[in-house]
């Protein structure tokens, strides 16, 4: 399967994440609002999407993308 | 089970945790020993992590570049799966990293839903439905110059194999040519009204290009049994159109066209596709490159939310520094454009600092040390 799990983070979760990483959200990798999967989960510009990837090395890895 | 809560405390990847757990279970040690082992493993894990300031990108580039020199420049088109030609080796690797919108040999692997996957006839039925069929596949076409008409001699056997009816073919042609088609004892006849040889030949060419059934992009379909299910391999690719067809399990259907995956399934799927395609191309050539390097390349190509190629129109061309861009490709153009615009190079990156001969921000150069004077005597 090619598409990993995408979830939109709630406001609190997003704040918590940015605090724990110590970065601004502009520093995250991006995903376009027009991306087919972003549209599918209803992500809006400014949201943070949590992606649970299946990694060949780590088994499971979590990545975040900012919707632009 | 009993080792799970011991492992939970450590921030190590899932795959590693499972490996440790398996080993512990095999050894069947008690809690204190297990704790010690896990502690040691965690230490080893930390030692193996990339250090801050390490030039991960350069290592990735070298790790892919060196094996790349061993790849042959010549394309060996070889029957990868079931007589389908696939570009391999260096040309294919370049294609992936350049994000070509139209790769030279697009190919799809289509898996079917349970109902269709087990039955050869049903799998064949879908194959017929998606394979592009032209008039020349099912009939002999002749031009009658004297009477200004085209005569289509339908081949009954081919028609039966494709499950086509004369009526359907007639309708399709009428729609495609916007001309009337007359049926005359098993033959289809198209009468050209204009008495011009050019009009006749134009119509003939148009007729040859009408897709009677199937998807235009799918030139050939091969049905193969794999394990206990039938899988379709296609020459040509159109993910979007294939996904709409009933009986196809689109969660397990893929194409080797990375750009198409990006358009249909989004950026994350494209990232996975790049990793998969690149590693399989390298492996096929007998080269072992760690996936981590390829993952890094795929990450760089997808950070901005759009697929960028590695090259002057993508990653390398997007650099802020003029000198870094000039050092890569089209030196004069880059410098000239920058001069005309009055651009400023802030000398923040690696390449530009090497050019001007300054220490670079990499490895130990990335940290700045301040000596505290007068502390301890």
């Amino acid at each position: 399967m090619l598409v990993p799990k995408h979830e939109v983070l709630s406001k609190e979760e997003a704040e918590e994440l940015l605090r724990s990483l110590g970065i601004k959200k502009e520093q995250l990798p991006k995903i376009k609002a027009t991306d087919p999967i972003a549209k599918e989960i209803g992500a809006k510009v400014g949201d943070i999407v949590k992606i649970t990837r299946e990694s060949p090395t780590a088994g499971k890895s979590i990545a975040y993308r900012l919707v632009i | 089970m009993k080792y799970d809560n011991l492992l939970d405390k450590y921030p190590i990847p899932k795959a590693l945790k499972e490996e440790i757990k398996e080993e512990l279970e095999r050894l069947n040690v008690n809690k204190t020993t297990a704790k010690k082992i896990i502690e040691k493993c965690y230490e080893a894990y930390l030692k193996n992590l990339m250090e801050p300031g390490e030039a991960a990108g350069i290592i990735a580039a070298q790790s892919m570049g060196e094996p790349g020199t061993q790849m042959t420049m010549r394309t060996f088109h070889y029957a990868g799966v079931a007589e389908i030609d696939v570009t391999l080796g260096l040309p294919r690797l370049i294609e992936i990293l350049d994000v070509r919108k139209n790769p030279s040999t697009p190919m799809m692997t289509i898996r079917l839903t349970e109902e269709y996957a087990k039955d050869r006839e049903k799998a064949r039925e879908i194959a017929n439905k998606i394979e592009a069929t032209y008039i020349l596949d099912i009939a002999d076409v002749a031009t009658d110059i004297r009477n200004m008409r085209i005569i289509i001699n339908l081949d009954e056997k081919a028609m039966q194999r494709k499950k086509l009816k004369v009526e359907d073919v007639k309708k399709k042609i009428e729609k495609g040519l916007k001309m009337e088609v007359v049926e005359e004892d098993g033959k289809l006849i198209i009468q050209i009204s204009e008495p011009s040889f050019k009009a006749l030949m134009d119509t003939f060419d148009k007729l040859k290009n009408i897709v009677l059934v199937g998807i235009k992009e799918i030139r050939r379909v091969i049905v193969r049994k794999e394990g206990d299910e039938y899988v379709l391999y296609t020459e040509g690719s159109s993910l979007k159109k294939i996904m709409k067809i009933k009986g196809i399990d689109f969660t397990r259907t893929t194409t080797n066209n990375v750009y198409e995956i990006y358009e249909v399934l989004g950026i994350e799927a494209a990232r996975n596709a790049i990793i998969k395609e690149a590693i399989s191309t390298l492996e096929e050539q007998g080269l072992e490159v760690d996936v981590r390097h390829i993952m890094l390349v795929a990450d760089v190509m997808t950070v901005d939310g759009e697929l960028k190629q590695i090259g002057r129109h993508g990653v390398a061309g997007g650099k802020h520094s003029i000198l870094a861009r000039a050092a890569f490709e089209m030196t004069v153009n880059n410098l000239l454009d920058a001069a005309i615009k009055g651009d400023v190079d802030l000398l923040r990156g690696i390449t530009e600092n090497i050019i001007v001969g300054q220490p670079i921000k990499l490895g130990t150069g990335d940290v700045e040390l301040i000596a505290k004077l007068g502390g301890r005597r």
Side-chain angles (χ1 to χ4, degrees):
Chain A
M1 260 186 265
L2 282 168
V3 186
K5 189 179 173 196
H6 290 57
E7 296 162 283
V8 180
L9 288 189
S10 68
K11 222 170 197 167
E12 296 79 55
E13 283 173 314
E15 267 167 33
E16 175 59 39
L17 169 78
L18 293 175
R19 199 165 5 173
S20 70
L21 292 174
I23 56 167
K24 288 189 221 91
K25 63 178 176 183
E26 286 74 25
Q27 287 171 285
L28 286 171
K30 316 289 189 296
I31 186 167
K32 286 189 170 176
T34 50
D35 187 274
I37 307 298
K39 270 196 217 158
E40 191 71 30
I41 59 166
K44 282 178 280 301
V45 175
D47 285 348
I48 292 174
V49 177
K50 178 185 177 184
I51 295 146
T52 314
R53 291 173 180 160
E54 287 214 11
S55 155
T57 50
K60 196 179 97 179
S61 84
I62 292 164
Y64 300 92
R65 280 182 191 271
L66 173 72
V67 183
I68 54 164
Chain B
M1 268 313 273
K2 58 181 178 178
Y3 302 117
D4 273 355
N5 41 7
L6 277 177
L7 278 162
D8 275 346
K9 282 179 281 184
Y10 292 94
I12 47 181
K14 193 180 144 206
L16 188 59
K17 266 184 194 173
E18 254 148 44
E19 214 175 301
I20 296 171
K21 205 174 91 182
E22 205 175 286
E23 194 61 24
L24 286 175
E25 264 158 22
R26 199 179 60 82
L27 294 166
N28 198 20
V29 289
N30 60 27
K31 219 168 183 177
T32 35
T33 328
K35 228 176 199 168
K36 269 185 200 159
I37 294 172
I38 295 167
E39 187 58 45
K40 275 270 184 246
C41 288
Y42 182 53
E43 250 171 57
Y45 167 72
L46 288 181
K47 273 182 195 154
N48 279 297
L49 281 180
M50 208 64 168
E51 273 168 44
E54 184 95 60
I58 292 174
I59 296 171
Q62 289 174 343
S63 306
M64 283 178 82
E66 195 279 331
T69 62
Q70 321 226 343
M71 293 172 121
T72 36
M73 285 297 287
R74 248 182 73 204
T75 335
F76 285 104
H77 283 280
Y78 109 158
V81 268
E83 309 106 54
I84 289 181
D85 245 9
V86 193
T87 313
L88 293 167
L90 199 60
R92 175 64 187 147
L93 196 65
I94 292 169
E95 232 174 51
I96 297 163
L97 298 180
D98 276 355
V99 198
R100 297 268 165 81
K101 282 178 191 167
N102 300 303
S104 57
T105 50
M107 196 201 111
M108 291 188 86
T109 308
I110 300 168
R111 283 173 214 279
L112 308 167
T113 52
E114 215 168 303
E115 182 194 348
Y116 288 85
K118 300 279 186 286
D119 190 340
R120 195 189 163 81
E121 279 307 305
K122 280 192 163 170
R124 195 66 243 173
E125 192 183 294
I126 291 186
N128 276 333
K129 211 152 88 185
I130 60 174
E131 189 174 40
T133 305
Y134 297 94
I135 191 75
L136 289 178
D137 297 332
I138 53 157
D140 281 330
V141 184
T143 45
D144 181 354
I145 299 171
R146 189 187 292 157
N147 301 318
M148 289 307 286
R149 54 186 196 169
I150 297 169
I151 302 160
I152 303 166
N153 255 320
L154 293 164
D155 181 345
E156 258 174 53
K157 264 190 195 156
M159 294 271 287
Q160 227 158 38
R161 205 165 49 230
K162 292 274 174 195
K163 303 238 162 59
L164 272 171
K165 284 193 203 96
V166 182
E167 264 305 296
D168 302 335
V169 176
K170 191 180 151 198
K171 259 187 204 153
K172 274 273 177 197
I173 297 172
E174 275 178 341
K175 212 179 145 202
L177 292 177
K178 296 185 187 74
M179 266 182 228
E180 208 188 330
V181 179
V182 189
E183 198 185 334
E184 228 178 75
D185 46 80
K187 290 174 190 170
L188 294 177
I189 291 163
I190 304 163
Q191 183 71 48
I192 315 286
S193 48
E194 216 180 321
S196 120
F197 182 64
K198 191 175 172 295
L200 180 72
M201 290 322 279
D202 281 352
T203 317
F204 184 62
D205 284 339
K206 244 196 217 166
L207 178 68
K208 277 198 292 193
N209 289 321
I210 295 172
V211 180
L212 296 173
V213 271
I215 296 159
K216 197 177 81 201
E217 286 86 356
I218 310 291
R219 288 186 296 275
R220 210 153 63 91
V221 183
I222 284 162
V223 184
R224 264 188 66 192
K225 188 159 193 177
E226 229 159 69
D228 62 341
E229 65 171 353
Y230 286 96
V231 182
L232 309 184
Y233 290 95
T234 69
E235 221 177 282
S237 159
S238 178
L239 200 57
K240 207 168 193 166
K241 288 180 192 165
I242 287 285
M243 281 188 159
K244 285 181 189 145
I245 286 164
K246 201 183 148 240
I248 282 170
D249 182 359
F250 53 78
T251 59
R252 296 187 300 143
T253 294
T254 65
T255 163
N256 69 355
N257 187 345
V258 175
Y259 195 78
E260 209 176 283
I261 291 182
Y262 165 61
E263 280 182 321
V264 180
L265 297 172
I267 194 78
E268 276 294 321
R271 180 185 170 274
N272 279 337
I274 292 169
I275 296 170
K276 207 187 76 193
E277 289 295 325
I279 199 88
S280 62
T281 306
L282 287 164
E283 250 164 29
E284 191 277 330
Q285 293 272 305
L287 305 170
E288 260 181 57
V289 177
D290 198 285
V291 255
R292 274 160 267 236
H293 300 308
I294 294 158
M295 279 159 76
L296 182 65
V297 171
D299 276 335
V300 169
M301 288 166 80
T302 56
V303 265
D304 286 348
E306 61 181 309
L307 253 194
K308 280 194 302 185
Q309 60 146 275
I310 303 276
R312 94 176 94 95
H313 303 292
V315 176
K319 288 181 180 175
H320 287 294
S321 166
I322 304 144
L323 290 175
R325 263 182 284 131
F328 179 65
E329 266 174 16
M330 306 215 300
T331 312
V332 177
N333 293 14
N334 268 310
L335 293 176
L336 190 65
D337 285 350
I340 291 166
K341 285 189 229 153
D343 281 350
V344 177
D345 199 319
L346 295 169
L347 302 181
R348 291 224 175 106
I350 306 298
T351 319
E352 51 270 36
N353 276 305
I354 289 181
I355 293 171
V356 298
Q358 281 185 29
I360 53 167
K361 288 222 168 290
L362 200 68
T364 48
D366 198 25
V367 286
E368 273 166 33
L369 298 179
I370 301 166
K372 248 191 203 168
L373 293 175
R376 203 161 45 146
R377 292 269 155 159

Coordinates of all heavy atoms in Angstrom, one line a residue, chain B residues 205-261:
Chain B
D205 N -7.0 7.1 -41.4 CA -6.1 7.3 -40.3 C -6.9 7.5 -39.0 O -6.5 7.0 -37.9 CB -5.2 8.5 -40.5 CG -4.1 8.2 -41.5 OD1 -3.8 7.0 -41.7 OD2 -3.5 9.1 -42.2
K206 N -7.9 8.3 -39.1 CA -8.7 8.6 -37.9 C -9.4 7.3 -37.4 O -9.4 7.0 -36.2 CB -9.9 9.6 -38.3 CG -9.8 10.9 -37.5 CD -11.1 11.6 -37.7 CE -10.9 13.1 -37.9 NZ -12.2 13.7 -38.3
L207 N -9.8 6.5 -38.3 CA -10.5 5.2 -38.0 C -9.5 4.3 -37.2 O -9.9 3.7 -36.2 CB -10.9 4.5 -39.2 CG -11.6 3.2 -39.1 CD1 -12.9 3.3 -38.4 CD2 -11.8 2.5 -40.5
K208 N -8.3 4.3 -37.6 CA -7.3 3.5 -37.0 C -7.0 3.9 -35.5 O -6.6 3.1 -34.7 CB -5.9 3.5 -37.8 CG -5.9 2.6 -39.0 CD -4.5 2.4 -39.4 CE -3.9 3.6 -40.0 NZ -2.7 3.3 -40.8
N209 N -7.3 5.2 -35.2 CA -7.0 5.7 -33.9 C -8.1 5.7 -32.9 O -8.0 6.1 -31.8 CB -6.4 7.1 -34.0 CG -5.0 7.0 -34.5 OD1 -4.2 6.1 -34.2 ND2 -4.7 8.0 -35.4
I210 N -9.3 5.2 -33.4 CA -10.4 5.1 -32.5 C -10.3 4.0 -31.5 O -10.0 2.8 -31.9 CB -11.7 4.9 -33.3 CG1 -12.0 6.2 -34.1 CG2 -12.9 4.7 -32.3 CD1 -13.1 6.0 -35.1
V211 N -10.4 4.3 -30.2 CA -10.3 3.2 -29.2 C -11.7 2.6 -29.0 O -12.7 3.3 -28.6 CB -9.9 3.8 -27.8 CG1 -9.8 2.7 -26.8 CG2 -8.5 4.4 -28.0
L212 N -11.9 1.4 -29.4 CA -13.2 0.7 -29.4 C -13.6 0.4 -28.0 O -14.7 0.6 -27.5 CB -13.2 -0.5 -30.3 CG -13.0 -0.2 -31.8 CD1 -12.8 -1.5 -32.6 CD2 -14.1 0.6 -32.4
V213 N -12.7 -0.3 -27.3 CA -12.9 -0.6 -25.8 C -11.6 -0.4 -25.1 O -10.5 -0.4 -25.7 CB -13.4 -2.0 -25.5 CG1 -14.9 -2.2 -25.6 CG2 -12.6 -3.0 -26.4
G214 N -11.7 -0.2 -23.8 CA -10.5 -0.1 -23.0 C -10.0 1.4 -22.8 O -10.7 2.3 -23.2
I215 N -8.9 1.4 -22.2 CA -8.3 2.7 -21.8 C -7.1 3.0 -22.8 O -6.3 2.1 -23.0 CB -7.8 2.6 -20.4 CG1 -9.0 2.5 -19.4 CG2 -7.0 3.9 -20.0 CD1 -8.6 1.9 -18.1
K216 N -7.2 4.2 -23.3 CA -6.2 4.5 -24.4 C -4.7 4.3 -24.0 O -4.0 3.8 -24.8 CB -6.4 6.0 -24.8 CG -5.8 6.4 -26.1 CD -6.1 7.8 -26.4 CE -5.1 8.7 -25.7 NZ -5.5 10.1 -25.5
E217 N -4.4 4.6 -22.8 CA -3.0 4.5 -22.3 C -2.6 3.0 -22.2 O -1.4 2.8 -22.2 CB -2.8 5.2 -21.0 CG -2.8 6.7 -21.1 CD -4.2 7.3 -21.1 OE1 -5.2 6.5 -21.0 OE2 -4.4 8.6 -21.1
I218 N -3.5 2.1 -21.9 CA -3.1 0.7 -21.6 C -3.0 0.0 -23.0 O -4.0 -0.4 -23.6 CB -4.2 0.0 -20.8 CG1 -4.5 0.9 -19.5 CG2 -3.7 -1.4 -20.4 CD1 -3.4 1.0 -18.5
R219 N -1.7 -0.2 -23.4 CA -1.5 -0.8 -24.7 C -1.6 -2.3 -24.7 O -2.0 -2.9 -25.7 CB -0.1 -0.3 -25.2 CG -0.1 1.1 -25.6 CD 1.2 1.5 -26.3 NE 2.3 1.3 -25.3 CZ 2.7 2.2 -24.4 NH1 2.0 3.4 -24.4 NH2 3.7 2.0 -23.6
R220 N -1.2 -2.9 -23.6 CA -1.2 -4.4 -23.6 C -1.4 -4.9 -22.1 O -1.0 -4.2 -21.2 CB 0.1 -4.9 -24.0 CG 0.1 -6.2 -24.7 CD 1.2 -6.3 -25.7 NE 2.5 -6.3 -25.0 CZ 3.2 -7.4 -24.6 NH1 2.7 -8.6 -24.8 NH2 4.3 -7.3 -24.0
V221 N -2.2 -5.9 -22.0 CA -2.4 -6.5 -20.6 C -2.0 -8.0 -20.6 O -2.3 -8.7 -21.6 CB -3.9 -6.4 -20.2 CG1 -4.1 -6.9 -18.8 CG2 -4.4 -4.9 -20.4
I222 N -1.3 -8.3 -19.6 CA -0.9 -9.7 -19.4 C -1.5 -10.2 -18.1 O -1.3 -9.6 -17.1 CB 0.6 -9.9 -19.5 CG1 1.1 -9.8 -20.9 CG2 1.1 -11.2 -18.9 CD1 2.5 -9.5 -21.1
V223 N -2.1 -11.4 -18.2 CA -2.7 -12.0 -16.9 C -1.7 -13.1 -16.5 O -1.3 -13.9 -17.2 CB -4.1 -12.6 -17.2 CG1 -4.7 -13.1 -15.9 CG2 -5.0 -11.6 -17.8
R224 N -1.3 -13.0 -15.2 CA -0.4 -14.0 -14.7 C -0.9 -14.5 -13.3 O -1.5 -13.7 -12.6 CB 1.0 -13.4 -14.5 CG 1.9 -13.7 -15.7 CD 3.3 -13.2 -15.4 NE 3.9 -14.0 -14.4 CZ 5.1 -13.7 -13.8 NH1 5.7 -12.6 -14.1 NH2 5.6 -14.4 -12.8
K225 N -0.6 -15.7 -13.1 CA -1.0 -16.3 -11.8 C 0.2 -16.1 -10.8 O 1.3 -16.4 -11.1 CB -1.3 -17.7 -11.9 CG -1.9 -18.3 -10.6 CD -2.7 -19.5 -10.8 CE -3.5 -19.8 -9.5 NZ -4.4 -20.9 -9.7
E226 N -0.1 -15.5 -9.7 CA 0.9 -15.3 -8.7 C 0.4 -15.8 -7.4 O -0.6 -15.3 -6.8 CB 1.2 -13.8 -8.6 CG 2.7 -13.5 -8.7 CD 2.9 -12.1 -9.1 OE1 2.6 -11.2 -8.3 OE2 3.4 -11.9 -10.2
G227 N 1.0 -16.9 -6.9 CA 0.5 -17.5 -5.7 C -0.9 -18.1 -6.0 O -1.0 -18.8 -7.0
D228 N -1.9 -17.6 -5.3 CA -3.2 -18.2 -5.6 C -4.2 -17.1 -6.2 O -5.4 -17.3 -6.3 CB -3.9 -18.7 -4.3 CG -4.1 -17.6 -3.3 OD1 -3.4 -16.6 -3.4 OD2 -4.9 -17.8 -2.3
E229 N -3.6 -16.0 -6.7 CA -4.4 -15.1 -7.4 C -3.9 -14.6 -8.8 O -2.7 -14.8 -9.0 CB -4.6 -13.8 -6.5 CG -3.4 -13.0 -6.2 CD -3.6 -11.7 -5.5 OE1 -4.8 -11.3 -5.4 OE2 -2.6 -11.0 -5.2
Y230 N -4.8 -14.1 -9.6 CA -4.4 -13.6 -10.9 C -4.1 -12.2 -10.8 O -4.8 -11.4 -10.2 CB -5.5 -13.9 -11.9 CG -5.6 -15.4 -12.3 CD1 -6.5 -16.2 -11.7 CD2 -4.7 -15.9 -13.2 CE1 -6.5 -17.6 -12.0 CE2 -4.7 -17.2 -13.5 CZ -5.6 -18.1 -12.9 OH -5.7 -19.4 -13.2
V231 N -2.9 -11.8 -11.4 CA -2.5 -10.4 -11.3 C -2.4 -9.9 -12.8 O -2.0 -10.7 -13.7 CB -1.1 -10.3 -10.6 CG1 -0.7 -8.8 -10.5 CG2 -1.2 -10.9 -9.2
L232 N -2.8 -8.7 -13.0 CA -2.7 -8.1 -14.4 C -1.5 -7.2 -14.4 O -1.3 -6.4 -13.6 CB -3.9 -7.3 -14.7 CG -5.3 -7.9 -14.6 CD1 -6.3 -7.0 -15.1 CD2 -5.4 -9.3 -15.3
Y233 N -0.7 -7.4 -15.5 CA 0.4 -6.5 -15.7 C 0.1 -5.7 -17.0 O -0.3 -6.4 -18.0 CB 1.8 -7.2 -15.9 CG 2.2 -7.8 -14.6 CD1 1.9 -9.1 -14.3 CD2 3.0 -7.1 -13.7 CE1 2.4 -9.7 -13.1 CE2 3.4 -7.6 -12.5 CZ 3.1 -8.9 -12.2 OH 3.5 -9.4 -11.0
T234 N 0.3 -4.4 -17.0 CA 0.0 -3.7 -18.2 C 1.2 -2.9 -18.8 O 2.0 -2.5 -18.0 CB -1.1 -2.7 -17.9 OG1 -0.6 -1.6 -17.1 CG2 -2.3 -3.3 -17.3
E235 N 1.2 -2.8 -20.0 CA 2.1 -1.9 -20.7 C 1.4 -0.6 -20.8 O 0.3 -0.6 -21.4 CB 2.5 -2.5 -22.1 CG 3.9 -2.4 -22.4 CD 4.2 -3.0 -23.8 OE1 4.2 -4.3 -23.8 OE2 4.3 -2.3 -24.8
G236 N 1.9 0.5 -20.4 CA 1.2 1.8 -20.4 C 0.5 1.9 -19.0 O 0.3 0.9 -18.3
S237 N 0.2 3.1 -18.6 CA -0.3 3.3 -17.3 C -1.3 4.5 -17.2 O -1.1 5.5 -17.9 CB 0.9 3.6 -16.4 OG 0.5 4.3 -15.2
S238 N -2.4 4.3 -16.5 CA -3.3 5.3 -16.2 C -4.0 5.0 -14.9 O -5.1 4.4 -14.9 CB -4.3 5.5 -17.4 OG -5.3 6.4 -17.1
L239 N -3.4 5.4 -13.8 CA -3.9 5.1 -12.5 C -5.4 5.6 -12.3 O -6.2 4.9 -11.8 CB -3.0 5.7 -11.5 CG -3.0 5.1 -10.1 CD1 -2.7 3.6 -10.1 CD2 -1.9 5.8 -9.2
K240 N -5.6 6.8 -12.7 CA -6.9 7.4 -12.4 C -8.0 6.6 -13.1 O -9.0 6.4 -12.4 CB -6.9 8.9 -13.0 CG -7.8 9.8 -12.2 CD -7.5 11.2 -12.6 CE -8.2 12.1 -11.6 NZ -7.7 13.5 -11.7
K241 N -7.8 6.3 -14.3 CA -8.9 5.6 -15.0 C -9.1 4.1 -14.5 O -10.2 3.6 -14.4 CB -8.6 5.6 -16.5 CG -8.8 6.9 -17.2 CD -8.5 6.9 -18.7 CE -8.4 8.3 -19.2 NZ -7.7 8.2 -20.6
I242 N -7.9 3.5 -14.2 CA -8.0 2.1 -13.7 C -8.7 2.0 -12.4 O -9.5 1.1 -12.1 CB -6.5 1.6 -13.5 CG1 -5.9 1.3 -14.9 CG2 -6.5 0.4 -12.6 CD1 -6.4 0.1 -15.6
M243 N -8.6 3.1 -11.6 CA -9.2 3.0 -10.2 C -10.7 3.0 -10.3 O -11.3 2.7 -9.3 CB -8.7 4.2 -9.4 CG -7.3 3.9 -8.9 SD -6.8 5.1 -7.7 CE -5.6 4.2 -6.8
K244 N -11.2 3.5 -11.4 CA -12.7 3.6 -11.5 C -13.3 2.3 -11.9 O -14.5 2.1 -11.9 CB -13.1 4.7 -12.5 CG -12.9 6.1 -11.9 CD -13.2 7.1 -12.9 CE -12.8 8.5 -12.3 NZ -12.4 9.4 -13.4
I245 N -12.5 1.3 -12.3 CA -13.1 0.1 -12.8 C -13.4 -0.9 -11.7 O -12.7 -1.1 -10.8 CB -12.1 -0.5 -13.9 CG1 -12.2 0.3 -15.1 CG2 -12.4 -2.0 -14.2 CD1 -11.1 0.1 -16.1
K246 N -14.6 -1.5 -11.9 CA -15.1 -2.4 -10.9 C -14.3 -3.7 -10.9 O -13.9 -4.2 -11.9 CB -16.5 -2.8 -11.2 CG -17.3 -3.3 -10.0 CD -18.7 -3.7 -10.4 CE -19.2 -4.9 -9.5 NZ -19.5 -6.0 -10.3
G247 N -14.0 -4.2 -9.7 CA -13.2 -5.5 -9.6 C -11.8 -5.3 -9.3 O -11.1 -6.3 -9.1
I248 N -11.3 -4.0 -9.4 CA -9.9 -3.8 -9.2 C -9.7 -3.3 -7.7 O -10.4 -2.5 -7.2 CB -9.4 -2.7 -10.2 CG1 -9.2 -3.4 -11.5 CG2 -8.1 -2.1 -9.7 CD1 -8.9 -2.5 -12.6
D249 N -8.7 -4.0 -7.1 CA -8.4 -3.6 -5.7 C -7.4 -2.5 -5.8 O -6.2 -2.7 -5.9 CB -7.9 -4.9 -5.0 CG -7.5 -4.6 -3.5 OD1 -7.8 -3.4 -3.1 OD2 -7.1 -5.5 -2.8
F250 N -7.9 -1.2 -5.7 CA -6.9 -0.1 -5.9 C -6.0 0.1 -4.8 O -5.0 0.8 -4.9 CB -7.7 1.1 -6.3 CG -8.8 1.6 -5.4 CD1 -8.5 2.2 -4.2 CD2 -10.1 1.3 -5.7 CE1 -9.5 2.6 -3.3 CE2 -11.1 1.7 -4.8 CZ -10.8 2.3 -3.6
T251 N -6.2 -0.5 -3.6 CA -5.2 -0.3 -2.6 C -3.9 -1.1 -2.9 O -2.9 -0.8 -2.3 CB -5.8 -0.8 -1.2 OG1 -6.1 -2.2 -1.3 CG2 -6.9 0.0 -0.8
R252 N -4.0 -2.1 -3.7 CA -2.9 -2.9 -4.0 C -2.4 -2.8 -5.5 O -1.7 -3.6 -6.0 CB -3.1 -4.4 -3.7 CG -3.4 -4.7 -2.3 CD -3.5 -6.1 -2.0 NE -4.6 -6.7 -2.7 CZ -4.5 -8.0 -3.2 NH1 -3.5 -8.7 -3.1 NH2 -5.6 -8.4 -3.9
T253 N -3.0 -1.8 -6.1 CA -2.6 -1.5 -7.5 C -1.6 -0.4 -7.6 O -1.8 0.6 -7.0 CB -3.9 -1.2 -8.3 OG1 -4.7 -2.3 -8.3 CG2 -3.6 -0.8 -9.7
T254 N -0.5 -0.6 -8.4 CA 0.4 0.5 -8.5 C 0.9 0.6 -9.9 O 0.6 -0.2 -10.8 CB 1.7 0.2 -7.6 OG1 2.4 -0.9 -8.2 CG2 1.4 0.0 -6.2
T255 N 1.6 1.7 -10.1 CA 2.2 2.0 -11.4 C 3.7 2.4 -11.2 O 4.0 2.7 -10.0 CB 1.5 3.2 -12.1 OG1 2.3 3.7 -13.2 CG2 1.2 4.3 -11.2
N256 N 4.5 2.3 -12.2 CA 5.9 2.8 -12.0 C 6.1 4.2 -12.4 O 7.2 4.7 -12.4 CB 6.9 1.8 -12.7 CG 6.8 2.0 -14.2 OD1 5.9 2.7 -14.7 ND2 7.6 1.3 -14.9
N257 N 5.0 4.9 -12.7 CA 5.1 6.3 -13.0 C 4.9 7.1 -11.7 O 3.8 7.3 -11.3 CB 4.0 6.7 -14.1 CG 4.1 8.1 -14.6 OD1 4.8 8.9 -14.0 ND2 3.5 8.4 -15.7
V258 N 6.0 7.6 -11.2 CA 5.9 8.3 -9.9 C 5.1 9.6 -10.0 O 4.3 9.9 -9.1 CB 7.4 8.6 -9.4 CG1 7.4 9.4 -8.2 CG2 8.2 7.4 -9.2
Y259 N 5.2 10.3 -11.1 CA 4.4 11.6 -11.2 C 2.9 11.3 -11.1 O 2.2 12.1 -10.6 CB 4.8 12.3 -12.4 CG 4.4 13.8 -12.4 CD1 5.1 14.7 -11.6 CD2 3.2 14.2 -13.0 CE1 4.6 16.0 -11.5 CE2 2.8 15.5 -12.9 CZ 3.5 16.4 -12.2 OH 3.0 17.7 -12.0
E260 N 2.5 10.2 -11.8 CA 1.1 9.9 -11.8 C 0.6 9.6 -10.4 O -0.5 10.0 -10.0 CB 0.9 8.7 -12.7 CG -0.4 8.6 -13.3 CD -0.5 7.4 -14.3 OE1 0.1 7.6 -15.4 OE2 -1.0 6.4 -13.9
I261 N 1.5 8.9 -9.6 CA 1.1 8.5 -8.2 C 1.0 9.8 -7.4 O 0.0 10.0 -6.6 CB 2.2 7.6 -7.6 CG1 2.1 6.2 -8.2 CG2 2.0 7.5 -6.1 CD1 3.1 5.2 -7.7

